[in-house]
Amino acid sequence: MNQNSQQQIVTILNNTNSYLQANGMTMTEAQINDTSNSLLSIASSLTSALQVALNNPLSSDLAANLNYATTNYNDLYNVLPSDPDNIVYVEEMSSDEWAAYVTNMMQKSIAKTLANQLATTLDTLESTLAARAIATGNLPYYYSNYADGTGMVIAIDDASYLVGTPQMCDEWNFTLPSPVTHLNTNLITETTLIQIGLICYRTNPRTYADNFDMLITSGALEAHIKDENQNLIELVMDLSKVL
């Protein structure tokens, strides 16, 4: 997948996010389920494609980025960056090295944008599913879906029923500490309706991180707690107590 296609997917995901926000509550069950399946499958394909793009850039991207860097040389390299560590001496590079350097920088930027937009869109999907369940009184609510390497789990119930209960998303096991007082927040009591949301990736989407291959050796889990209006509740605790 070339970099232009990746940037187009950012737009598609953003449009999907906007559509869910505007129409998610009135979609049929079949429509929302199809959307969930599609987004999770796209997430799996994207995370794998981004890793490949970083490790094995396409020749077309190398050529396009070298042309961009050459055309915009003064704007890119004849300015002093705020951080001296970011100074680049392209004069010491061969054309191939320069192309590889610029392509890597561009790919990391695109990958970060894509990962963030993907997380935003999946979060909107989760909030939509949860809001639909709460609006129809379908409580307690449990949702689990998995497609091609990416999964989503939602659990909504009184806090007293969710603490101490393991929630599984692929190989990840997430358990809120029990009793409720161990959550260290006055926003949650035994009878507070809360929502646990988990999104698990077989391939870590944060491929843009420096030294990714050495620092990140597993998939990824995004976990959060929300109130009944899908507002995030911040918890301060030792992660070893929940994973």
Side-chain angles (χ1 to χ4, degrees):
M1 184 188 302
N2 65 30
Q3 291 180 347
N4 184 56
S5 296
Q6 294 173 48
Q7 291 169 328
Q8 291 176 6
I9 292 175
V10 173
T11 301
I12 293 171
L13 286 173
N14 183 58
N15 291 341
T16 302
N17 184 68
S18 298
Y19 184 86
L20 278 172
Q21 290 175 328
N23 303 287
M25 296 299 289
T26 57
M27 294 170 70
T28 66
E29 284 298 310
Q31 289 172 331
I32 197 71
N33 288 333
D34 285 346
T35 300
S36 176
N37 291 334
S38 296
L39 283 176
L40 293 175
S41 181
I42 289 170
S44 301
S45 299
L46 265 182
T47 51
S48 297
L50 290 176
Q51 194 166 20
V52 170
L54 271 170
N55 294 331
N56 299 288
L58 296 175
S59 58
S60 58
D61 285 334
L62 291 167
N65 288 319
L66 180 60
N67 180 65
Y68 172 82
T70 303
T71 303
N72 297 278
Y73 181 90
N74 288 333
D75 292 335
L76 294 173
Y77 303 110
N78 278 345
V79 292
L80 187 64
S82 57
D83 184 351
D85 290 337
N86 291 331
I87 295 176
V88 179
Y89 299 98
V90 296
E91 294 82 0
E92 299 177 3
M93 299 180 184
S94 67
S95 293
D96 288 346
E97 290 172 335
W98 190 10
Y101 170 79
V102 177
T103 299
N104 183 262
M105 293 299 101
M106 292 289 287
Q107 184 58 53
K108 285 184 176 181
S109 176
I110 294 171
K112 183 175 183 178
T113 300
L114 260 172
N116 289 338
Q117 182 60 62
L118 180 61
T120 296
T121 305
L122 289 177
D123 183 70
T124 298
L125 172 64
E126 178 204 325
S127 291
T128 301
L129 289 165
R132 287 164 63 98
I134 293 171
T136 57
N138 182 20
L139 298 171
Y141 177 73
Y142 182 80
Y143 177 86
S144 178
N145 195 9
Y146 191 82
D148 305 324
T150 303
M152 175 179 288
V153 171
I154 306 170
I156 306 175
D157 204 344
D158 287 349
S160 60
Y161 292 105
L162 291 182
V163 295
T165 302
Q167 308 294 336
M168 298 293 298
C169 191
D170 198 14
E171 77 270 21
W172 298 91
N173 186 330
F174 179 90
T175 307
L176 285 176
S178 179
V180 170
T181 52
H182 286 182
L183 298 179
N184 300 320
T185 176
N186 58 11
L187 297 177
I188 301 177
T189 67
E190 295 278 338
T191 58
T192 303
L193 190 69
I194 63 170
Q195 168 185 329
I196 296 175
L198 306 177
I199 299 174
C200 51
Y201 301 90
R202 184 72 57 82
T203 301
N204 199 302
R206 306 299 175 181
T207 53
Y208 56 82
D210 290 335
N211 300 317
F212 172 85
D213 291 338
M214 292 183 288
L215 296 176
I216 301 176
T217 58
S218 70
L221 174 70
E222 295 184 9
H224 46 255
I225 311 300
K226 296 181 180 180
D227 64 19
E228 61 184 297
N229 297 310
Q230 284 76 60
N231 297 311
L232 284 172
I233 300 175
E234 184 175 347
L235 302 179
V236 180
M237 63 177 63
D238 184 350
L239 283 179
S240 64
K241 295 181 179 179
V242 297
L243 292 176

